Amino acid sequence: MRRLAAIDAQNYWMSAAIPNNQFLLYGFAGAPTDLDAAVRDVRQRAQCCPELGLRIRDDHRLRYPVWEPRHVGDDQFVVHDLGEPGFDDCLSALTALAGDQLDAARATWRVHVFPRVRDIPAVTGVGTVIVMQTAHALADGGRSADLAGLMFGRPGGVRAVEVPRLVTARLPWRAAQAARWHRVLVRDEEDGRVPRQADSRAALRSNAAPAGAISVRTIVRNRDELGGPTVTVAVLAAVSAALAEHLRELGDDPADLGAEVPMAKAGPRTANNQFGNVGIGLYPTLDRDARIGRIVEDLAQRRRRAQHPAMLAASRAYAATPAPLLRWGVRQFDASLRSPTVTGNTVVSSVNRGAADLRFAGTPVVMTAGYPALSPMMGLTHGVHGIGATVAVSVHAAESAVGDVDAYVARLERALTSR
C-alpha cells in the first residue's frame, strides 16, 4: 500500500470542511436495450484498472493515509430511473448529488446512470447521461477524465502515481533550499526576469458564500464557433463580458474583474492532484480583441512563474511536510472567515477530455461537462470541457452570488456567440 501524497491527503482532510467531489457528466446518443448488461460492461472495465480499485485508510494520526485495495462493487453504480427526463432534469438531479459526498474510506468514486434522457444537446431522440462522481483525493481534472475514459472504452491504461518516499528529516534541508530559491525569485522579480505574483482582487458579489438555490447549467458549442486562440481563452473572454455586465446590474464595480484558473504543473506526476490555481485578469473594460490579448499574456506570465526553480523547491518542501503538521494546518481552517480580497472573482476550470471515442453499450459519446465545486469564498464557478469537436461551458452558481442564474447564463450565451 502506498501513502497519499501531501496534496492528496490535504484534499481528503479538507473535504470534511469543504465538499470537493468532482462530477464528470457524459452524454451518449442512444439508450441501451439491456441497461444491466451495459452497466456490467463498464464495471468489468473498471475492475481491470487498479487505480479504480482503491479506498483510503487513515488509521494513524502520526502518519499519512494510505491507498488500500477494494473490490469494484455494486455500491459504486446507481441507476436513477426518472421516467423519461429531460436533460435539465438530470442537471437538477446532479445538483442534489452534490449533497451526498463520497466517503473515500469506503469508495473513491461512483457512477450515476440516467437512462432514456430527452433533449441531450446534439442528440435526436433519447440518450443516456452518465455522471462519474470522484473524491478529489483520487484525481484532478485531467486524471479523472483519464479514469472515466478507460471505463467507457478508451484503450490504454492509467498509470499509478509514483509518490516519492517520505523522509521527514529532509524537511529542514528542503525548507532551506526553498528559502534560498525564494531569495533568487525575489531578485528575478526585481530584475524583470520573472513575473511577479498575481495581485489579489477585491471580493465581489460572485464571491458570496453559497446560500439559497444552487443551480447548474450547461451551454454546448462546436469548438469552431468559439473563436479565440484557444477554447480556454475564448471562454474566459466571454465570461469577462457576461459576468461584468451581470455584476454591474447587481451594483458591483467589475473594472478589476479576475478569474481563478487551475493550471497543470509540469514534470513527472508525483501526486493524484498535480495542479495549482493562478489568478488572471479578465479586463472587461477592453474590447474583445484587446481583452483576449491581455488574457493570453496573463496566462503566459503565470506559466513562466510556475517554471521558476523556486516553485519546484517550494513544492518539494511542502511534499516533505510531516503528516501531524499538515493535519494540524488543515484543522486550523475556518470556513466561516471572510476575506476582503481573493485570487479571482470566479473559477474557470478547463479540461480537454480527448477524442470522442467513448461508448456506452455501443452508443457514442456526444458531449461532456463538469461543474467545479463552490466554496465559502466562491459562489460562482465555470467548467469548460471538450470532447472531440464539442465544448460544454457550464455554470455552477448559488443564488447568493448571482441572483437570477438564468439571466446570467443568457448573458454568457450571448457573449460566447459575439465576436
Side-chain angles (χ1 to χ4, degrees), residues 88-146:
D88 288 343
D89 297 319
C90 292
L91 296 186
S92 297
L94 187 153
T95 304
L97 291 176
D100 184 17
Q101 295 281 301
L102 293 165
D103 176 2
R106 296 173 59 88
T108 53
W109 59 270
R110 184 179 295 142
V111 167
H112 303 269
V113 182
F114 298 88
R116 303 185 304 279
V117 180
R118 296 172 288 103
D119 304 324
I120 299 174
V123 174
T124 301
V126 297
T128 306
V129 169
I130 298 181
V131 176
M132 182 177 180
Q133 178 180 4
T134 68
H136 219 311
L138 178 68
D140 55 21
R143 186 173 172 80
S144 61
D146 291 342

Side-chain angles (χ1 to χ4, degrees), residues 217-234:
R217 301 286 189 272
T218 294
I219 304 165
V220 176
R221 292 285 186 271
N222 186 279
R223 190 179 298 271
D224 294 337
E225 295 180 77
L226 297 174
T230 68
V231 166
T232 302
V233 170

Side-chain angles (χ1 to χ4, degrees), residues 63-249:
R63 299 174 188 161
Y64 274 101
V66 296
W67 295 108
E68 180 178 67
R70 65 149 285 172
H71 293 295
V72 174
D74 291 340
D75 60 315
Q76 293 178 276
F77 296 87
V78 182
V79 176
H80 300 264
D81 190 351
L82 305 180
E84 291 192 5
F87 183 68
D88 288 343
D89 297 319
C90 292
L91 296 186
S92 297
L94 187 153
T95 304
L97 291 176
D100 184 17
Q101 295 281 301
L102 293 165
D103 176 2
R106 296 173 59 88
T108 53
W109 59 270
R110 184 179 295 142
V111 167
H112 303 269
V113 182
F114 298 88
R116 303 185 304 279
V117 180
R118 296 172 288 103
D119 304 324
I120 299 174
V123 174
T124 301
V126 297
T128 306
V129 169
I130 298 181
V131 176
M132 182 177 180
Q133 178 180 4
T134 68
H136 219 311
L138 178 68
D140 55 21
R143 186 173 172 80
S144 61
D146 291 342
L147 292 169
L150 183 146
M151 295 177 73
F152 297 114
R154 184 170 289 157
V158 179
R159 292 181 60 184
V161 172
E162 298 296 330
V163 179
R165 191 168 73 91
L166 180 66
V167 181
T168 55
R170 293 178 182 169
L171 178 60
W173 179 80
R174 286 189 172 177
Q177 290 291 98
R180 183 176 70 83
W181 276 111
H182 180 74
R183 291 191 292 271
V184 174
L185 174 64
V186 171
R187 290 199 298 269
D188 288 347
E189 289 175 343
E190 293 171 348
D191 294 342
R193 288 194 290 266
V194 66
R196 295 183 182 274
Q197 184 173 343
D199 293 332
S200 296
R201 303 171 190 279
L204 299 175
R205 171 74 178 267
S206 53
N207 296 108
I214 307 295
S215 304
V216 296
R217 301 286 189 272
T218 294
I219 304 165
V220 176
R221 292 285 186 271
N222 186 279
R223 190 179 298 271
D224 294 337
E225 295 180 77
L226 297 174
T230 68
V231 166
T232 302
V233 170
V235 174
L236 283 165
V239 168
S240 171
L243 185 53
E245 181 183 357
H246 197 76
L247 289 172
R248 284 191 202 99
E249 187 174 281

Side-chain angles (χ1 to χ4, degrees), residues 316-406:
R316 285 175 172 169
Y318 170 78
T321 304
L325 181 59
L326 186 56
R327 285 180 193 268
W328 176 86
V330 170
R331 286 199 301 269
Q332 306 317 300
F333 177 77
D334 185 348
S336 67
L337 294 179
R338 302 289 299 168
S339 171
T341 60
V342 291
T343 302
N345 304 114
T346 185
V347 166
V348 179
S349 177
S350 183
V351 179
N352 184 347
R353 291 180 177 159
D357 56 353
L358 309 186
R359 297 289 186 274
F360 179 63
T363 63
V365 69
V366 293
M367 54 86 64
T368 185
Y371 308 88
L374 305 181
S375 69
M377 286 296 299
M378 193 65 73
L380 171 66
T381 66
H382 301 78
V384 185
H385 296 88
I387 195 160
T390 303
V391 176
V393 181
S394 302
V395 174
H396 187 187
E399 185 179 7
S400 56
V402 299
D404 185 347
V405 66
D406 290 318

